[in-house]
Amino acid sequence: MIARFLLCLSLCVLGVNTLQARAEVISPAQQLQPTQAKKIVEEFAQSIEQNYVFTDIAKKIAAQLRGLTFQGVQSRHGLSKQITDLVSQYDKHLALVTRVDNNGKHSNGAREPWFTELKRKNSGVRQVEVLAGNIGYLEMWGFDTVSQQANEAIAASMTLLQRTDALILDFSQNGGGDGFMVSHLASYFLKKPTLLHTYLFRNGSRYPFRSGQPMGASQFRDMPLYILIGPDTFSAGEAFAYAMKHLGRATLIGEPSKGGANPINQFKLSHDFIAFVAIGTSVSPITGENWEGKGVIPEIKAEVEIAKSKAHLLALQDLADKSSNPYLMKERVEKIRQLATQLDVFNHENSSNNKSR
């Protein structure tokens, strides 16, 4: 579990120290009395104080949680969201989570567990495509745990893409997952086992994450690689992009990512609540830093909605004189013209919209 990155819940700012029930009616199955809410939050504060990677920040968060007061009936999901909004200002991996109602039954308002959803949805592989000009495209919205199913999904995708001349990895919607899958996927693109990053834990211990022996077709090791990122790229998705950027193995295109670099563990609390607490931090062997709080910064900035087209255009331009096949060359020239026109139109419309505001 400590090797996993998990998706954080949504953010907003909580500006008061008193949590009150909302005006709408709370169903009995979702109700928490003030004493119950106080107990849950106290246990959450303890789990952070005892386990969060940075002890000084842990004390500050715990003190703020203990300063909260509760008036009236709380809803389970309301408490979860309000507390998560508060603590995620310190660390985007911190969260208070509930997935059941007061009877221990699945709650309709709860999000499906991240790894359960990943396994159900093709281990995070959403789309595999060969674009015009023989450019490969792989979209992954998450990193599943390393398993036969996940490995087969990745291997099948890479087999379909192995004869392309460049590859776009779309992580713009990638919410994270398992750090070991980051190492597994990186093994397709690096020529030898390579240190990607190291986890540093509160007690001073460390765990290095390296890519494995090279996998898949040998051409993947030298193939031009482009990675799309944006505000929804989080955790393990950021870890892969950050490592490949600073190893000089890929060009990042898009917008800065969400900014969560700290691995977490889960702790059970009263009333079927779960605490997500960051127990370590990531350190790059190249920068000596990570992307926590600031996100991974792309070399080429582009709005997420046009990042794929931008990467496709750049890949074609980089390959413009690297083929002797006249039919392929013609296909690339035509697609370059088409993409350049589309991007010009988008930029013009975007500029006009900004001026009119």
Side-chain angles (χ1 to χ4, degrees), residues 37-52 55 57-68 70 83 86-87 94-96 202 267 269 274-277:
K38 184 70 174 177
K39 178 178 176 60
I40 292 164
V41 172
E42 170 58 30
E43 291 178 355
F44 188 33
Q46 290 177 11
S47 68
I48 291 173
E49 199 168 44
Q50 296 169 6
N51 299 284
Y52 185 66
T55 55
I57 299 177
K59 292 177 182 178
K60 184 176 181 180
I61 300 172
Q64 189 167 359
L65 289 173
R66 288 179 175 130
L68 298 174
F70 302 88
I83 297 301
L86 175 63
V87 298
L94 288 172
L96 179 66
R202 175 167 160 158
F267 301 90
L269 309 179
I274 302 170
F276 287 1
V277 180

Side-chain angles (χ1 to χ4, degrees), residues 107-128:
S107 171
N108 291 333
R111 176 167 186 149
E112 183 177 11
W114 186 244
F115 288 99
T116 303
E117 186 178 2
L118 274 168
K119 287 179 174 57
R120 183 171 63 82
K121 295 182 177 179
N122 203 36
S123 293
V125 176
R126 178 176 284 157
Q127 185 176 359
V128 184

Side-chain angles (χ1 to χ4, degrees), residues 97-114:
V97 178
T98 179
R99 296 194 177 99
V100 299
D101 61 23
N102 292 338
N103 300 314
K105 297 179 180 179
H106 175 74
S107 171
N108 291 333
R111 176 167 186 149
E112 183 177 11
W114 186 244

